[in-house]
Amino acid sequence: MADSFDVIVIGAGPGGYVCAIRAAQLGMKVACVEKRATLGGTCLNVGCIPSKALLQSSEHFEEANHKLAEHGVNVGQVSLDLARMQARKAEVVGANVKGVEFLFKKNKVTWLKGSGRVVAAGQVDVDGTTYATKHIVIATGSESTPLPGVTVDEKRIVTSTGALELEKVPGHLVVIGGGVIGLELGSVWRRLGAQVTVVEFLDRIVPGMDNEIGKAFERTLAKQGIKFKLKTKVTGASVTDAGVTLTTEPVGGGAAETLAADVVLLAIGRRPHVEGLGLAEAGVALDERGRVKTDGHFATNIPGIWAIGDVIVGPMLAHKAEDEGVALAEQIAGQKPHINYDAIPGVVYTWPEVANIGKTEEELKAQGVAYKVGKFPFTANGRARAMASMDGFVKILADKETDRVLGAHILGPDAGTLIAEIAVAMEFGASAEDVARTCHAHPTLNEAVKEAALAVDGRALHI
């Protein structure tokens, strides 16, 4: 038996590395197993961070081409240096992953480089070396969900990983799946000059989002040039040197059609990454969707083995995994942390952004909860008008009797930042009136949140 630890975390993504750092802060001897050459998991290496770098760069390109002249800024002929854009993305990723490595050293977390496998409770194998530990944390994240008949080669048919590495702008990019990943990366390549078509099985994009916001979001993206084929299923893909031919059918029945593309992005969702971890051999139970079963406090059915993040139930979000990592480390240390899963925001980083937290109208109706709605458009917000970014609105849902904020949904500029105010409000059990009576600086985008809170009571001031 090699060295022993108090905690061994398998996976160095946002959930895993944060759990390791917090456990070390609490005085435990900690190791984190990671097979990548760099720390940070999917999020920092091939997910959240590189995609946001390309989203930011492509938005600057879009502004220079189509928006700056409106502000009296004339830049002349604009050209794209995709190689430099990709190089900058790599620099951003490099800085972030090196930052995590620095944090490991600072907090004395041991990085066990290699593939981790659970031998049994208290034992983890890393490429043939077995380590003893009191606690094992499964934090191996998720991977792209495959689609029968559509074989990924990361060249012509790509997942999000390949879509971040394209060496030229495709003439026609077809995105299979109208969720967050597909829409974000579709936006990147649309801004850079690609024709983009999104094929979605359901009758709407971003399922699970508040329906009113989702419909407005679809209209906004359509205005930007993204085309949608809803209620359509992909049944096959044929790849040639020239591109990809997709075979599609209407979900409700009808004649098959073909769709020609230069590149196809498969983005129908993600699934827990648990293969090769030895969980079955160790007796760790999985649910019907391949997620690790836990008791609501991250404990599996095997004492001493825990799981957090994308491998367990709940939204596959980096910040959800981080909060779970902190909570689990504190729980192991004897504390009594708590996560409010009703106050975890979600963001789509297109432009305008979309952000949501708490319940949707559809969920409240299904649950029989009496509620009030307050809405305020960015067309009536002075800062949004000054920015020339007036698409969208803020929508706040509050309990009809108590006025407690139950959810909020924002389509608009910097929605991902604006939603944090509602997250704090919900965490402290605030009412819509509490938000409305809080002084907001003028002129700011946040005033739209205040006005939506006022609108819950029918007294918005600026519309």
Side-chain angles (χ1 to χ4, degrees):
M1 189 76 68
D3 204 357
S4 62
F5 298 89
D6 295 315
V7 178
I8 293 181
V9 181
I10 303 178
Y17 82 71
V18 166
C19 181
I21 289 171
R22 184 63 183 132
Q25 288 177 342
L26 292 166
M28 289 176 255
K29 184 180 180 183
V30 183
C32 186
V33 184
E34 177 54 57
K35 63 184 179 182
R36 289 182 188 270
T38 52
L39 300 171
T42 294
C43 179
L44 271 65
N45 287 277
V46 292
C48 318
I49 298 304
S51 66
K52 301 316 165 280
L54 286 185
L55 280 159
Q56 188 68 53
S57 296
S58 64
E59 179 58 25
H60 287 320
F61 183 72
E62 174 91 350
E63 285 180 336
N65 265 314
H66 304 293
K67 299 178 182 179
L68 291 183
E70 183 178 349
H71 295 270
V73 180
N74 297 313
V75 295
Q77 182 66 36
V78 178
S79 63
L80 173 65
D81 185 347
L82 182 57
R84 177 62 203 131
M85 190 178 288
Q86 291 284 23
R88 178 187 177 274
K89 178 204 69 182
E91 291 162 6
V92 171
V93 169
N96 277 273
V97 298
K98 288 173 184 173
V100 177
E101 190 169 351
F102 163 77
L103 291 172
F104 270 20
K105 291 175 182 176
K106 175 186 175 184
N107 291 282
K108 297 180 174 59
V109 174
T110 300
W111 176 6
L112 300 177
K113 299 181 181 182
S115 297
R117 181 176 60 85
V118 178
V119 178
Q123 295 182 41
V124 173
D125 175 89
V126 182
D127 289 351
T129 301
T130 301
Y131 298 86
T133 182
K134 298 174 185 174
H135 302 276
I136 299 170
V137 180
I138 307 300
T140 45
S142 58
E143 60 189 4
S144 180
T145 301
L147 180 64
V150 181
T151 304
V152 171
D153 60 12
E154 297 297 7
K155 297 295 182 183
R156 289 292 190 183
I157 301 178
V158 300
T159 64
S160 56
T161 300
L164 290 166
E165 299 295 335
L166 299 181
E167 296 178 352
K168 66 177 182 178
V169 178
H172 186 200
L173 172 69
V174 174
V175 180
I176 305 176
V180 176
I181 294 171
L183 296 177
E184 287 186 354
L185 291 174
S187 290
V188 166
W189 295 106
R190 197 281 308 164
R191 293 169 186 165
L192 299 181
Q195 176 189 344
V196 177
T197 302
V198 175
V199 180
E200 169 56 48
F201 184 86
L202 300 177
D203 61 353
R204 53 177 293 191
I205 62 171
V206 285
M209 187 177 288
D210 184 90
N211 197 34
E212 184 180 19
I213 287 282
K215 288 180 177 178
F217 184 34
E218 182 186 332
R219 290 193 297 270
T220 299
L221 293 177
K223 282 195 304 181
Q224 294 176 5
I226 295 179
K227 297 179 181 179
F228 295 95
K229 291 177 67 68
L230 305 179
K231 295 188 288 187
T232 303
K233 62 180 178 181
V234 175
T235 56
S238 175
V239 180
T240 67
D241 291 340
V244 184
T245 300
L246 291 179
T247 305
T248 67
E249 293 179 4
V251 170
E257 298 179 355
T258 58
L259 193 59
D262 296 284
V263 175
V264 170
L265 166 58
L266 179 60
I268 60 172
R270 296 183 66 81
R271 64 182 183 182
H273 180 60
V274 293
E275 188 176 349
L277 293 176
L279 300 185
E281 294 83 349
V284 177
L286 305 180
D287 69 12
E288 70 284 352
R289 293 177 60 181
R291 298 173 298 199
V292 179
K293 281 187 178 181
T294 56
D295 64 353
H297 298 280
F298 317 115
T300 70
N301 60 308
I302 305 297
I305 301 180
W306 315 82
I308 59 171
D310 287 5
V311 296
I312 69 171
V313 70
M316 290 183 172
L317 298 169
H319 43 284
K320 176 255 197 188
E322 288 188 13
D323 277 11
E324 289 178 340
V326 170
L328 175 55
E330 292 175 349
Q331 182 179 303
I332 289 172
Q335 300 181 18
K336 298 187 181 298
H338 172 71
I339 295 176
N340 179 5
Y341 285 98
D342 287 329
I344 295 179
V347 184
V348 188
Y349 294 93
T350 50
W351 193 266
E353 293 179 347
V354 186
N356 62 279
I357 191 168
K359 302 297 184 183
T360 65
E361 273 204 77
E362 292 71 37
E363 288 172 330
L364 293 176
K365 288 175 181 176
Q367 294 168 10
V369 177
Y371 65 93
K372 300 177 290 183
V373 182
K375 292 185 282 189
F376 190 81
F378 282 101
T379 51
N381 176 267
R383 183 64 186 274
R385 187 168 293 277
M387 294 169 60
S389 190
M390 296 173 287
D391 284 334
F393 58 98
V394 179
K395 177 178 182 178
I396 294 177
L397 306 171
D399 187 279
K400 190 171 184 178
E401 298 300 321
T402 67
D403 195 41
R404 184 170 180 163
V405 177
L406 301 175
H409 309 273
I410 306 174
L411 167 65
D414 285 334
T417 300
L418 300 181
I419 203 71
E421 175 180 358
I422 299 298
V424 173
M426 291 180 66
E427 196 64 54
F428 282 86
S431 65
E433 183 183 9
D434 290 330
V435 177
R437 290 191 178 277
T438 300
C439 188
H440 289 63
H442 175 77
T444 60
L445 297 172
N446 299 70
E447 289 176 291
V449 177
K450 174 176 180 171
E451 290 277 1
L454 284 166
V456 169
D457 195 39
R459 57 192 185 94
L461 293 169
H462 288 88
I463 194 171

